[in-house]
Amino acid sequence: MIELNQLRCFVAVAEELHFGRAAKRLFMTQPPLSRQIQLLEHALGARLLERTNRHVSLTASGKTFLRDAKLILEFTGQAQETVKRVEKGEIGRLTLGFTAVSGYWQIPQIIALAAKELPEITLVMKEMVSSAQLQALAARTLDIGFVRQPVALFPLAYHCVLREPLCVALPASSALTAKPRIRLRDFAGQPFIMYSASEGKYFYDCIAGLFAQANVVPHYVQHCSQTHTILGLVRAGVGMAIVPESARQLAFPGIEFRPLSHPDAFAEIHMAWRQDGETPALLAFRQMVTAHSAAQNIPAPRRKPRAQKSA
């Protein structure tokens, strides 16, 4: 059985070609050094060194083995360093889920930040609706998700990383573009493009709730699941819409955006992860995102997670 300490002893003697200097280099005395070389030669069944009272030289086998011994020690050192870095969360691989709208601006910001602060953590991105992300987290096919509505589902935990205003998207030809801010009552009877109640449930619930509070009934002309489709219809003059502020990043021509005058007109993004079995890479990534959201002055969430019985 060859031991790493035997290899270190051999390499030191082979490079110094002097047992005294090699022993001093390894902070040991000559007798145990000689013993380690003898054990190594016995294990290999070959003589590695020629020694006399005044001279040490490498045999042909020793010259060949020196190269391999150095490679083994180098690889071992690299492996040890890699394990240490994995434990520190500096190296790893994470599968990250995100919603389509968050991919317009927020998620690219986070990915760019991770490339700078955690360059050796590989991020695999998957665009998924929030409900699919929660299912993937429960099934352990997703490491971390960015969802709209938190659900009280053990063992998932959440942290609000963004609260963005909802704004109004208007066709450039709309008379409402003359107003600096739009109120909910301005939508009464107006052609309105709404999110789908099933595929765009989060925004549907938010917007429908705002209309219900204000006792306003717009004229719903279309229901769509994706924000970019809604904006396409707005640009075509089909109607107006309420969308998250980040939708401005799509820069559709022919659309005017205005603030929506209502204190509860906002949308949230929550980082979601499993509390059990958290890896060092996940912890490092989560701490980075949490620090970033704190620097953005994200307030505590107003809404509590919806309860769900099963995992």
Side-chain angles (χ1 to χ4, degrees), residues 234-294:
V234 171
R235 179 175 59 179
V238 175
M240 60 186 70
I242 295 176
V243 295
E245 183 77 18
S246 54
R248 291 175 178 263
Q249 300 297 323
L250 295 178
F252 273 48
I255 294 179
E256 295 284 342
F257 290 94
R258 294 293 182 271
L260 179 59
S261 183
H262 194 285
D264 292 328
F266 63 85
E268 294 174 347
I269 294 180
H270 297 260
M271 177 171 58
W273 69 96
R274 293 183 66 105
Q275 299 179 75
D276 58 334
E278 187 174 47
T279 66
L282 176 54
L283 177 60
F285 181 83
R286 184 168 61 79
Q287 290 175 336
M288 180 203 73
V289 175
T290 300
H292 176 69
S293 64

Side-chain angles (χ1 to χ4, degrees), residues 159-164 269 290 292-301:
H159 178 78
C160 184
V161 297
L162 177 72
R163 178 171 294 131
E164 63 175 323
I269 294 180
T290 300
H292 176 69
S293 64
Q296 302 299 313
N297 297 315
I298 304 300

Side-chain angles (χ1 to χ4, degrees), residues 142-182:
L142 202 65
D143 295 306
I144 197 161
F146 290 88
V147 302
R148 287 294 182 180
Q149 180 66 51
V151 175
L153 180 64
F154 181 81
L156 299 187
Y158 302 89
H159 178 78
C160 184
V161 297
L162 177 72
R163 178 171 294 131
E164 63 175 323
L166 296 176
C167 65
V168 181
L170 300 165
S173 59
S174 173
L176 290 177
T177 57
K179 293 190 173 187
R181 301 181 70 86
I182 307 298

Side-chain angles (χ1 to χ4, degrees), residues 102-124:
S102 66
Y104 298 159
W105 179 243
Q106 293 84 18
I107 295 303
Q109 279 189 313
I110 290 173
I111 298 302
L113 185 65
K116 180 180 178 181
E117 296 190 9
L118 303 169
E120 294 192 61
I121 291 182
T122 301
L123 298 177
V124 179

Side-chain angles (χ1 to χ4, degrees), residues 205-252:
D205 289 344
C206 287
I207 298 168
L210 293 174
F211 285 144
Q213 287 179 28
N215 197 27
V216 170
V217 181
H219 173 49
Y220 296 108
V221 292
Q222 288 292 338
H223 288 76
C224 302
S225 61
Q226 297 296 333
T227 299
H228 59 266
T229 304
I230 290 175
L231 292 180
L233 293 173
V234 171
R235 179 175 59 179
V238 175
M240 60 186 70
I242 295 176
V243 295
E245 183 77 18
S246 54
R248 291 175 178 263
Q249 300 297 323
L250 295 178
F252 273 48

Side-chain angles (χ1 to χ4, degrees), residues 49-110:
L49 298 168
E50 293 289 353
R51 346 167 166 54
T52 66
N53 291 335
R54 296 184 178 182
H55 181 71
V56 177
S57 62
L58 288 166
T59 64
S61 296
K63 291 178 182 179
T64 300
F65 187 69
L66 176 60
R67 179 189 60 203
D68 293 336
K70 286 182 176 180
L71 288 174
I72 292 171
L73 292 175
E74 181 181 358
F75 180 79
T76 301
Q78 290 175 350
Q80 291 174 334
E81 181 62 24
T82 298
V83 169
K84 290 178 182 178
R85 296 187 66 193
V86 168
E87 285 298 307
K88 292 179 181 178
E90 296 176 358
I91 298 176
R93 177 186 174 92
L94 297 174
T95 303
L96 181 152
F98 64 98
T99 62
V101 178
S102 66
Y104 298 159
W105 179 243
Q106 293 84 18
I107 295 303
Q109 279 189 313
I110 290 173

